[in-house]
Amino acid sequence: RGTSYMNWTDIAQTIAAIGTLALALIGFPLIIYQIRQLERAVQGDTQEKMFSRCHDISQLMLQYPEVRPYILDGAQVPQDDQIKAKVIAFVEILGDFLELLYFQRQNMTDEVWQSWDSYIHDVYKRCPELAAYYGKNAAWYYAPFLEYLRTT
C-alpha cells in the first residue's frame, strides 16, 4: 500500500531525539557556566591562601623586626649567631613561599599573577641571602622555578 505513516515507535523516537537535543542545548551552556564558576572559585581560593601566607610572613617580620634589613633591604648579615639563625629561618620560609607562588600561577588570573611575579622578583633581588640559599640548596627546589628566578 503506498501510504506511509508513522507508528507510535517512530513518534516516540522522534520525541526522544528532540528531547535529547533540547537537553544538550540547555545542558552544555550550563556545564560551561559551572566550569567558569569553579575556575573563579579556585582563583579566589588561591588568592586568599597566598595572601594568608604572605600575612603570616609579615607577622613574623613584626615579631622579629631585627631581621628585616637582611631580608628586604639587602643588608649584609652579621656573624652574630642569633641574628644569622633567624635570617636563615626567614629565608627558608620566604624561599618556600616564593616557590609556592610560582606553582600556583596557573590558578591565578594573568593580572593577579603579574603582581605576584613582581613581588617574587623584587624580594629575590633585594635579598642576597635568598639567592645564596637557593644556590646552596638547589636540589630542594623545582629547577624551572630556579631558572625563572635567574632569567626574568
Side-chain angles (χ1 to χ4, degrees), residues 56-148:
D56 293 344
I57 291 170
S58 296
Q59 289 294 100
L60 284 172
M61 286 279 189
L62 288 172
Q63 191 174 356
Y64 301 100
E66 65 273 17
V67 301
R68 181 182 174 83
Y70 313 109
I71 302 297
L72 295 178
D73 299 332
Q76 184 72 30
V77 179
Q79 293 307 311
D80 178 305
D81 288 340
Q82 278 190 325
I83 295 286
K84 192 168 189 163
K86 287 178 186 177
V87 169
I88 289 169
F90 266 85
V91 164
E92 288 177 4
I93 292 167
L94 193 57
D96 292 346
F97 175 61
L98 297 183
E99 184 182 39
L100 176 64
L101 284 168
Y102 178 80
F103 280 127
Q104 291 297 324
R105 71 192 183 283
Q106 289 147 348
N107 293 327
M108 300 177 194
T109 64
D110 289 341
E111 184 177 308
V112 169
W113 168 243
Q114 286 174 2
S115 296
W116 283 117
D117 177 65
S118 295
Y119 173 82
I120 290 169
H121 285 96
D122 189 47
V123 169
Y124 181 72
K125 289 173 186 166
R126 292 168 66 183
C127 185
E129 287 296 317
L130 184 59
Y133 174 79
Y134 281 138
K136 181 179 176 185
N137 301 294
W140 298 355
Y141 292 91
Y142 185 53
F145 168 68
L146 296 176
E147 185 63 25
Y148 153 81

